């Protein structure tokens, strides 16, 4: 039965005072010392192949292979191969948490060691990308989000729902933005090899179905987390040889010609780069700077743990502690709100810039995201 969520919320507010709770997002409220964040540990890996099929191994892991000299012009043409050597993942397929849940179901025996009688020793299971959005929320001024939450056998699962605005944006994406997205993937191809001592092959096809994902366990304050995220490559010559520290995140950005431009880049873009890599403990981010003709005019390596030093001189910049404190507080809010253990009950948390977070409650709706096969696998 699909009841109108708005009506439902209003009715709930009358009978259940808990439902009228909203959650504030203002950055200044979370300006406190950095919270406890346990060093992220990799507990598993999986891959998605060229057909987007799941494999419980690292077959799609690529190896960091930068050009011999970090010179001014590595000679990359990021437009090369567009659109003829481009196989784009079908974004109409909403995968939800399915690939991650498959990994959990296949590895549940190793995850059981818990005294609370849960099949899974974690308070939260989600994608790293969803947590990145939560972390950056106090500073986000453009894009809102919707996060669906279900409590199942003692673990809270968080799965993003595409907003109306995001779907509009995706369905009407300009040709320019489509090519820019391709260029980000093309940069990965120029920087990665298939073997530890190999060299990149830019003559191949860019296929965005392919992905290598790490599964991470960590703790933020009182919340134990299990999440997975896509990893661009591993550096076989990394000063930190073990995963996840040996992983490298690759990024492209427009070349900067002024200090003002760089300051703006630190404020707007670096927060997303930092959050994405800090969460899983990826220690380096390598930026390729795009010239107007689509060539890469320079490379720059950022150490994730040193980014806060770059930004702290600017008082108008974002603060890592605010992001982390906000995330910890939001997760505590989710724990307080979602207390009925039921895989067919979904609380939909909604946020728009300039507003507090609110939520609606949905029983047996289209928002259900824990598949029957998963509920069955974790119940036996
Ligand atoms: P860049 O970020 O270098 O531009 P990731 O950096 O997370 O590994 O993602 C790889 C590439 O996917 C990005 O490269 C970008 O081209 C594309 N991409 C990621 N998120 C996107 C989004 N929300 N919209 C459009 N393209 C996106
Ligand atoms: Mg990536
Ligand atoms: Mg990347």
């Amino acid at each position: 039965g699909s009841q109108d969520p708005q009506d439902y919320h209003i009715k709930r507010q009358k009978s259940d005072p808990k439902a009228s709770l909203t959650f504030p997002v203002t950055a200044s409220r979370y300006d406190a010392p950095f919270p406890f964040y346990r060093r992220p540990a990799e507990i598993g890996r999986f891959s998605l192949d060229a057909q987007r099929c799941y494999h419980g191994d690292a077959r799609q892991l690529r190896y960091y292979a930068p050009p011999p000299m970090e010179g001014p012009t590595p000679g990359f043409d990021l437009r090369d191969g567009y659109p003829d050597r481009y196989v784009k993942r079908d974004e109409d397929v909403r995968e939800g948490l399915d690939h991650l849940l498959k990994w959990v179901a296949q590895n549940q025996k190793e995850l059981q060691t818990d005294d609370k009688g849960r099949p899974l020793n974690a308070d939260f299971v989600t994608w790293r990308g969803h947590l990145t959005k939560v972390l950056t929320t106090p500073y986000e001024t453009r894009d809102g989000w919707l996060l669906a939450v279900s409590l199942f056998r003692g673990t809270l699962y968080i799965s993003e729902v595409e907003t109306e605005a995001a779907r509009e944006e995706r369905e009407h994406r300009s040709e320019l933005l489509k090519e820019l997205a391709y260029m980000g993937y093309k940069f990965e191809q120029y920087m990665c090899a298939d073997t530890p001592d190999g060299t990149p092959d830019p003559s191949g096809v860019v296929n965005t179905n392919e992905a290598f994902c790490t599964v991470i366990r960590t703790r933020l304050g009182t919340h134990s987390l299990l999440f997975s995220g896509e990893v661009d490559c591993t550096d076989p010559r990394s000063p930190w040889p073990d995963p996840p520290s040996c992983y490298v995140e690759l990024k492209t950005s427009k070349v900067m010609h002024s200090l003002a431009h760089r300051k703006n880049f630190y404020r707007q873009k670096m927060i997303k780069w930092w959050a994405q890599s800090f969460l899983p403990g990826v220690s380096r981010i390598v930026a390729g700077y795009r010239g107007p003709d689509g060539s890469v005019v320079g490379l720059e390596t950022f150490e994730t743990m040193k980014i806060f030093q770059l930004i702290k001189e600017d008082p108008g910049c974002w603060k890592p502690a605010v992001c982390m404190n906000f995330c910890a507080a939001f997760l505590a809010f989710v724990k307080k709100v979602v207390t009925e253990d039921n895989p067919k009950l979904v609380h939909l948390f909604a946020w728009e810039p300039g507003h507090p977070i609110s939520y609606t409650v949905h029983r047996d709706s289209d928002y259900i995201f824990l598949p029957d096969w998963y509920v069955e696998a974790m119940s036996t």
Side-chain angles (χ1 to χ4, degrees):
S2 51
Q3 214 167 357
D4 180 36
Q6 290 317 117
D7 290 346
Y8 198 81
H9 192 181
I10 293 160
K11 279 185 205 137
R12 242 181 99 82
Q13 280 183 336
K14 288 180 190 148
S15 58
D16 181 357
K18 219 171 62 171
S20 64
L21 288 178
T22 60
F23 187 75
V25 171
T26 334
S28 58
R29 298 178 78 118
Y30 304 97
D31 197 355
F34 202 87
F36 175 76
Y37 192 63
R38 190 166 67 200
R39 178 212 291 260
E42 179 176 81
I43 57 166
R45 317 168 123 188
F46 60 89
S47 295
L48 304 172
D49 67 19
Q51 284 76 43
R52 201 69 180 171
C53 292
Y54 174 97
H55 302 274
D57 55 47
R59 68 181 66 187
Q60 295 291 350
L61 177 60
R62 292 180 294 179
Y63 298 85
Y64 183 58
M69 291 180 299
E70 279 209 6
T73 48
F76 301 165
D77 175 8
L78 299 181
R79 289 182 181 154
D80 179 50
Y82 184 81
D84 40 295
R85 283 181 285 125
Y86 186 24
V87 178
K88 205 173 116 339
R89 180 175 72 83
D90 182 355
E91 290 176 302
D92 290 329
V93 179
R94 308 313 297 174
E95 299 174 329
L97 297 183
D98 289 10
H99 297 304
L100 171 56
L101 297 180
K102 196 168 218 170
W103 182 89
V104 171
Q106 286 182 1
N107 294 275
Q108 58 169 302
K109 280 185 202 76
E110 296 101 277
L111 298 164
Q112 263 166 0
T113 52
D114 192 8
D115 46 18
K116 291 170 195 157
R118 300 187 290 188
L120 195 54
N121 181 18
D123 297 340
F124 290 93
V125 167
T126 191
W127 286 113
R128 177 272 310 272
H130 301 356
L131 291 175
T132 302
K133 287 197 177 177
V134 174
L135 253 68
T136 58
T137 298
Y139 299 102
E140 178 64 43
T141 55
R142 214 179 57 117
D143 299 319
W145 49 248
L146 291 169
L147 293 172
V149 181
S150 287
L151 177 61
F152 171 54
R153 298 202 67 188
T155 294
L156 288 150
Y157 295 81
I158 305 179
S159 181
E160 188 179 28
V161 173
E162 189 174 38
T163 63
E164 210 40 56
R167 192 168 56 86
E168 282 288 313
E169 196 275 329
R170 180 166 62 84
E171 284 172 356
H172 301 107
R173 198 169 290 165
S174 67
E175 200 39 54
L176 183 81
L177 283 178
K178 285 179 189 164
E179 188 167 10
L180 267 179
Y182 170 82
M183 291 161 78
Y185 296 113
K186 185 68 187 177
F187 179 60
E188 297 176 0
Q189 191 188 52
Y190 275 116
M191 296 290 285
C192 296
D194 289 336
T195 56
D197 298 307
T199 46
D201 175 18
S203 72
V205 167
V206 170
N207 185 329
T208 59
N209 287 301
E210 297 175 4
F212 165 78
C213 296
T214 178
V215 184
I216 296 289
R217 187 196 276 296
T218 185
R219 170 175 291 274
L220 169 58
T222 57
H223 315 295
S224 59
L225 313 177
L226 190 162
F227 59 80
S228 177
E230 200 236 341
V231 167
D232 290 337
C233 58
T234 186
D235 182 1
R237 289 157 285 272
S238 175
W240 312 274
D242 299 317
S245 306
C246 58
Y247 294 146
V248 178
E249 172 60 44
L250 302 170
K251 289 285 178 200
T252 57
S253 199
K254 199 171 166 184
V255 63
M256 294 174 280
H257 294 295
S258 68
L259 276 174
H261 192 174
R262 183 169 275 265
K263 185 169 169 175
N264 197 49
F265 161 78
Y266 284 163
R267 286 187 178 191
Q268 308 290 328
K269 215 162 184 179
M270 196 55 113
I271 182 175
K272 293 184 178 170
W273 292 13
W274 171 81
Q276 179 189 31
S277 288
F278 179 78
L279 279 166
V282 170
S283 59
R284 272 182 305 169
I285 303 166
V286 174
Y289 294 116
R290 257 187 284 112
D293 61 350
S295 66
V296 171
V297 299
L299 298 171
E300 182 172 8
T301 300
F302 296 97
E303 270 185 46
T304 310
M305 296 303 281
K306 291 185 178 165
I307 286 174
F308 84 100
Q309 295 171 4
L310 295 177
I311 58 163
K312 72 177 177 203
E313 280 122 65
D314 176 5
C317 211
W318 54 278
K319 291 183 180 175
V322 168
C323 299
M324 297 300 278
N325 285 320
F326 170 76
C327 185
F330 172 66
L331 295 179
F333 178 63
V334 171
K335 276 181 179 172
K336 189 166 76 176
V337 167
V338 185
T339 55
E340 182 183 327
D341 205 293
N342 176 357
K344 296 201 184 303
L345 174 66
V346 172
H347 284 72
L348 188 64
F349 292 82
W351 178 71
E352 283 300 327
H355 295 270
I357 297 168
S358 62
Y359 66 90
T360 50
V361 187
H362 308 264
R363 271 175 209 278
D364 301 305
S365 70
D366 291 342
Y367 289 118
I368 292 174
F369 62 88
L370 291 173
D372 291 336
W373 60 259
Y374 181 75
V375 171
E376 219 149 280
M378 299 303 278
S379 303
T380 49

